[in-house]
Amino acid sequence: MSQTLIVAKFGGTSVADFDAMNRSADVVLTNPDTRLVVLSASAGVTNLLVSLAEGQEQAQRAYLLDEIRRIQYAIVDRLRNPAVIRDEIDRMIENITMLSDAASLATSNALTDELVSHGELMSTLLFVEILRERQVEAEWFDVRKVMRTNDRFGRAEPEIATLAEQAAALLQPRLAQSLVITQGFIGSEHKGRTTTLGRGGSDYTAALLGEALKAARVDIWTDVAGIYTTDPRVVPSAKRIDDITFEEATEMAIFGAKVLHPATLLPAVRSDIPVFVGSSKDPAAGGTRVHRETANPPLFRALALRRRQTLLTLHSLNMLHSRGFLVEVFTILARHNISVDLITTSEVSVALTLDTTGSTSTGDSLLTQALLTELSSLCRVEVEENLALVALIGNNLSRARGVGKEVFGTLEPFNLRMICYGASSYNLCFLVPGEDAESVVRALHKNLFE
């Protein structure tokens, strides 16, 4: 492929309705190097499909299906020749109805993925139709033909080598002929069943395809014009960051910045493909460029906030001078598929945070009774919920002087439940009560960035 290929991804709000889709089409057509377009489901549709997948009573099913129908037909009805596409959307909705009926009898992760995938299938069909009405040579492509994954439904991992082979064979030749529109977030395992890559997976899809096709850049079009020093909804005076490194952006994403999904960046980092983040509502506003290195990285770069954190504190006198306690704890957690986020220890106790955000399945299922029982046989367990994690992202934080005074001086009025500092020179994290989270972010932003 020529080194000028751009893969463009549009999020749910960018394909939410007829007008949004047309704005996104404008963005695509402005740059002739944009040959592959990856779409999320129209805003709201994925959540409705996830609800249906959880198994609903007849009346609730009917209501959710009507909502999906309403969102998608609002787009169909504004097309000049809606007949062809209406049949296709009808067929999709019949499928969704059938799968929802099945889910009301018995739910499963595989069924959830099959159901949820219809959001992206519908938005891409509609987008192709919008482009064709503008006389653009556009082709719909089923990403499941190339995005081969393992069978961990709900959070499947792609098989990179297979993806590269399939993309070269099936996608590459098409890009020369026409503009190709495909789905984010979904894939298929070796038996051909549909899988999903976990929430935020459309960005990941775009970066994976960019890597497989050796793209020159991946553009992520969303509803904000780039990456800001913190969430502008929390701090209206947050400033846009024009250039940021992969490391900083990854840290921000890991700690809850909504703009990019952490896994998204991995394929781009591996293959040194720059990522651009801009707003499809206002493409002229510019955006943020994410690349390997930037000139003069600042000490403090951004603040990220992650809500709904759970703190698990394990006390055991046996821990004192004994070996193997942590090994046992981590073995139990691993057996229950739980990844630990932050950790601090004392002589007789260890505190760990679990991140419940980020999976398609509901977060409440993380701390199962079986897990708590198993841990309780080893030590005394305390669980605290509804905490928030605030992360200060920067550069060489662990080697700079005076960071503690700058940060903790500002936080004097707040209760800090846990602090993690020193393991990474890119972040300093603390856990605070959920209701204080926004005030903490505002106070820090004012002191460090304004």
Side-chain angles (χ1 to χ4, degrees), residues 342-365:
L342 304 180
I343 173 164
T344 60
T345 63
S346 77
E347 281 289 284
V348 293
S349 57
V350 48
L352 340 145
T353 67
L354 311 177
D355 176 27
T356 54
T357 53
S359 172
T360 314
S361 51
T362 48
D364 315 333
S365 53

Side-chain angles (χ1 to χ4, degrees), residues 182-208:
T182 195
Q183 305 77 34
F185 181 52
I186 65 178
S188 68
E189 43 91 82
H190 59 99
K191 289 183 189 155
R193 291 178 296 176
T194 300
T195 55
T196 64
L197 306 176
R199 278 300 170 85
S202 294
D203 291 0
Y204 192 21
T205 303
L208 285 162

Side-chain angles (χ1 to χ4, degrees), residues 5 45 78 89 161 207 213 299 329 331 372:
L5 168 73
V45 171
R78 289 184 60 188
I89 299 294
L213 295 162
L299 178 62
V329 168
T331 306
L372 292 173

Side-chain angles (χ1 to χ4, degrees), residues 213-242:
L213 295 162
K214 303 185 171 56
R217 196 173 75 221
V218 174
D219 289 351
I220 308 259
W221 295 98
T222 145
D223 48 0
V224 283
I227 302 177
Y228 285 72
T229 46
T230 192
D231 185 343
R233 283 173 301 227
V234 177
V235 182
S237 56
K239 302 176 184 62
R240 186 176 67 221
I241 304 167
D242 290 331

